[in-house]
Amino acid sequence: MEVASVEAAVVDVDSKTITKADAFNKELTYIKNDRIKESAKLLIEKVPDYFFHEPASSTGKYHPDFSQGDGGLLRHTKAAVRIAYEILSTETFGDFYTNDEKDLMILAIMLHDSVKRGDNETYTRFDHPLLASKLVRDNANNTNLTEEEVNLVCSSIETHMGQWTKDYNGNEILEKPKTKYQRFVHLCDYLSAKKFLDVKFDENNNILY
């Protein structure tokens, strides 16, 4: 299956006009399978524009300083991807996954908060994992991902909130992670949101080290 051509949307990040996928240039190098990498680029182009400018938390209560302000959600996501990359680079953890599984989990992390504010709403949507999963499924036919790969990515996105499955009214909205893929994606998101974390970024929202 060929990846369908798509006119790349552009987003102004720090006064530089780049494609949405360009914002993840470094992170995309962590994906080794070119078929999965090209699919990732296409899916990133479908991410709402606000993702690249919003803070990770509307209140600032649940994320470290680097995740606040303009581009905070992007930086939070990049930190989670970097955590995944570093952990998966070790034999201790990486040997439990195939190379393609590693690529697909990194893709899931890239997109896990991609629709965090829903249709550009004021506050975080509690069901944003389901909205992000829907974004992937709605565009899956334009990628080179197999049905099994789409299911791995989407199920990992849908469960990335871990034990926090109930909305503000106590309604059970999300599922807890069960598979090794779901647990790993949740772990990386969880760690990247801890307030003791201090990740350094340059002026283009790239991790310095």
Side-chain angles (χ1 to χ4, degrees):
M1 183 192 309
E2 292 185 356
V3 176
S5 62
V6 48
E7 182 178 352
V10 294
V11 56
D12 186 6
V13 178
D14 291 336
S15 300
K16 295 183 179 179
T17 301
I18 59 176
T19 67
K20 292 179 180 180
D22 284 342
F24 284 102
N25 271 341
K26 178 62 176 179
E27 291 71 26
L28 284 166
T29 67
Y30 301 153
I31 298 178
K32 302 307 179 186
N33 186 316
D34 287 338
R35 176 178 59 81
I36 298 175
K37 183 183 297 185
E38 291 306 310
S39 298
K41 291 178 181 178
L42 185 144
L43 290 168
I44 292 169
E45 295 302 333
K46 301 297 184 180
V47 171
D49 290 353
Y50 69 77
F51 169 84
F52 299 88
H53 296 285
E54 295 292 328
S57 171
S58 55
T59 64
K61 184 177 180 181
Y62 299 110
H63 290 80
D65 288 344
F66 70 79
S67 296
Q68 305 308 320
D70 188 280
L73 183 55
L74 174 63
R75 292 189 293 274
H76 158 74
T77 302
K78 283 171 170 273
V81 171
R82 179 61 177 269
I83 288 170
Y85 172 74
E86 296 292 345
I87 294 175
L88 291 173
S89 294
T90 68
E91 292 181 3
T92 305
F93 297 99
D95 285 357
F96 283 94
Y97 305 95
T98 68
N99 288 335
D100 282 356
E101 287 171 343
K102 294 176 186 179
D103 288 349
L104 293 166
M105 289 189 296
I106 287 175
L107 172 55
I109 295 169
M110 285 182 181
L111 297 172
H112 78 283
D113 276 346
S114 58
V115 197
K116 194 165 187 178
R117 300 280 178 90
D119 188 20
N120 204 9
E121 297 168 36
T122 303
Y123 297 106
T124 296
R125 285 277 298 263
F126 188 82
D127 62 346
H128 71 272
L130 305 181
L131 299 178
S133 173
K134 184 177 185 300
L135 181 147
V136 174
R137 292 193 185 279
D138 285 350
N139 294 283
N141 287 339
N142 293 325
T143 73
N144 272 331
L145 299 177
T146 68
E147 182 177 357
E148 182 180 7
E149 290 170 338
V150 170
N151 287 335
L152 190 158
V153 171
C154 289
S155 67
S156 298
I157 291 173
E158 291 165 4
T159 56
H160 80 259
M161 291 289 289
Q163 69 192 56
W164 294 278
T165 59
K166 296 181 180 180
D167 67 11
Y168 309 110
N169 296 316
N171 300 311
E172 196 81 34
I173 303 297
L174 306 172
E175 293 185 10
K176 293 181 180 180
K178 299 179 179 67
T179 70
K180 65 179 182 179
Y181 316 110
Q182 294 170 342
R183 289 191 175 103
F184 183 80
V185 169
H186 165 60
L187 173 66
C188 296
D189 175 49
Y190 178 76
L191 292 176
S192 68
K194 303 315 292 179
K195 294 184 80 73
F196 65 76
L197 207 64
D198 184 21
V199 181
K200 303 298 185 184
F201 289 82
D202 65 18
E203 66 277 6
N204 295 315
N205 290 324
N206 295 313
I207 295 176
L208 283 174
Y209 310 114

